[in-house]
Amino acid sequence: MSLAMASDAKFSTCTAWFCIVSFACLASAQLSPSFYETSCPGALYTIHAAVRAAVAKERRMGASLLRLHFHYVLGGPSWTVQLGRRDATTASFSAANNDIPSPTSDLSALISAFSKKGLSTTDLVALSGAHTIGQARCTTFRARIYNESNIDSSLASSLQSNCPSSGSDDNLSPLDAVSPNFFDNAYYRDLVNNKGLLHSDQQLFSGGSVDSQTKSYSTNFPKFYSDFASAMVNMGNISPLTGSNGEIRINCRKTN
């Protein structure tokens, strides 16, 4: 079973809320792969079932859940995740926008953003492979399909039919047109053929320092899977809230 749980506290309260009392008793515990074995032995099974049901109902949920460190249901590698993270009691929309690279970012900006979080360029290219599933809004790739030259002309024409030069900002197109519902390495094959949907995607194969890694992933999916799993663990270990820091939300949409 391939199941990642870096946002485990949030999903535990959403899908296994009946364990809340037991979780609360673990306030002083730290991250561990077996964090819930005693307090909530059914947590992983419950979450896995909920993920499968969500993706079966709406395939696009696969991409959303991957962004929260869950996948599989759609294929891909597995890894051992340290469990026991807690939800934050505050949130900042502006801080999130400052930390998350924009779809118009150049390679240097992408490398800098990842480096600030302690992630390497290898992590950057591997984690970008999450774009092998999911869709993007017209407004995020309009400038690329109308103004950039390093894009396959047939792809640009096809995308323009669904994303006019003005309006229809919310129209969607797949980040990976080859196999948008499956976790594979087609995203990288797109890039080496100038078929990246976002400007930031194509930056991974644009004559820069990460071209060789991108090309390697396009033909060597075991290497991509291995590096992706390692990078997800690295990302999951960025300043997790544990012990008395943060909380386990009763309602995932708001603080307690």
Side-chain angles (χ1 to χ4, degrees):
M1 176 182 72
S2 297
L3 177 64
M5 293 183 61
S7 291
D8 50 273
K10 180 172 290 187
F11 271 78
S12 293
T13 53
C14 285
T15 63
W17 59 268
F18 49 83
C19 296
I20 188 67
V21 175
S22 296
F23 286 162
C25 296
L26 296 175
S28 62
Q30 299 300 306
L31 299 184
S32 167
S34 59
F35 189 85
Y36 299 124
E37 280 187 1
T38 300
S39 64
C40 192
L44 299 185
Y45 174 82
T46 302
I47 294 169
H48 188 247
V51 169
R52 282 191 176 279
V55 174
K57 183 177 181 180
E58 172 53 71
R59 295 290 288 182
R60 286 185 60 203
M61 283 299 296
S64 300
L65 291 172
L66 176 57
R67 277 49 169 180
L68 292 173
H69 292 251
F70 288 83
H71 80 101
Y72 308 141
V73 176
L74 300 179
S78 62
W79 58 91
T80 300
V81 177
Q82 300 293 313
L83 307 178
R85 293 162 179 79
R86 306 176 73 80
D87 296 307
T89 56
T90 61
S92 171
F93 183 77
S94 60
N97 283 337
N98 289 332
D99 281 349
I100 299 175
S102 91
T104 61
S105 294
D106 289 333
L107 180 59
S108 59
L110 293 171
I111 292 174
S112 177
F114 276 69
S115 178
K116 287 178 180 178
K117 297 299 181 181
L119 299 175
S120 67
T121 54
T122 297
D123 293 327
L124 160 63
V125 181
L127 290 171
S128 295
H131 283 185
T132 189
I133 58 176
Q135 302 186 65
R137 297 169 61 229
C138 168
T139 187
T140 64
F141 59 83
R142 177 182 285 121
R144 170 160 168 72
I145 65 175
Y146 284 98
N147 302 326
E148 297 186 12
S149 59
N150 63 339
I151 183 171
D152 179 81
S153 58
S154 61
L155 174 66
S157 296
S158 174
L159 291 170
Q160 287 170 8
S161 66
N162 185 49
C163 181
S165 57
S166 63
S168 301
D169 286 357
D170 292 330
N171 284 4
L172 300 173
S173 289
L175 289 160
D176 165 22
V178 177
S179 51
N181 293 320
F182 297 94
F183 192 96
D184 54 27
N185 65 333
Y187 166 79
Y188 298 102
R189 295 197 298 273
D190 290 341
L191 298 185
V192 298
N193 289 300
N194 285 336
K195 292 184 177 181
L197 181 64
L198 305 179
H199 175 84
S200 57
D201 287 331
Q202 196 59 55
Q203 286 291 292
L204 302 184
F205 196 80
S206 59
S209 60
V210 299
D211 278 17
S212 60
Q213 185 182 348
T214 299
K215 189 170 184 178
S216 172
Y217 288 165
S218 74
T219 59
N220 188 345
F221 71 83
K223 175 61 173 173
F224 162 50
Y225 276 18
S226 175
D227 286 356
F228 183 84
S230 296
M232 287 292 279
V233 172
N234 293 339
M235 184 167 66
N237 287 331
I238 297 174
S239 304
L241 297 177
T242 60
S244 60
N245 295 316
E247 65 182 18
I248 300 174
R249 295 183 186 178
I250 297 174
N251 183 330
C252 296
R253 295 178 177 84
K254 61 182 180 180
T255 58
N256 294 340

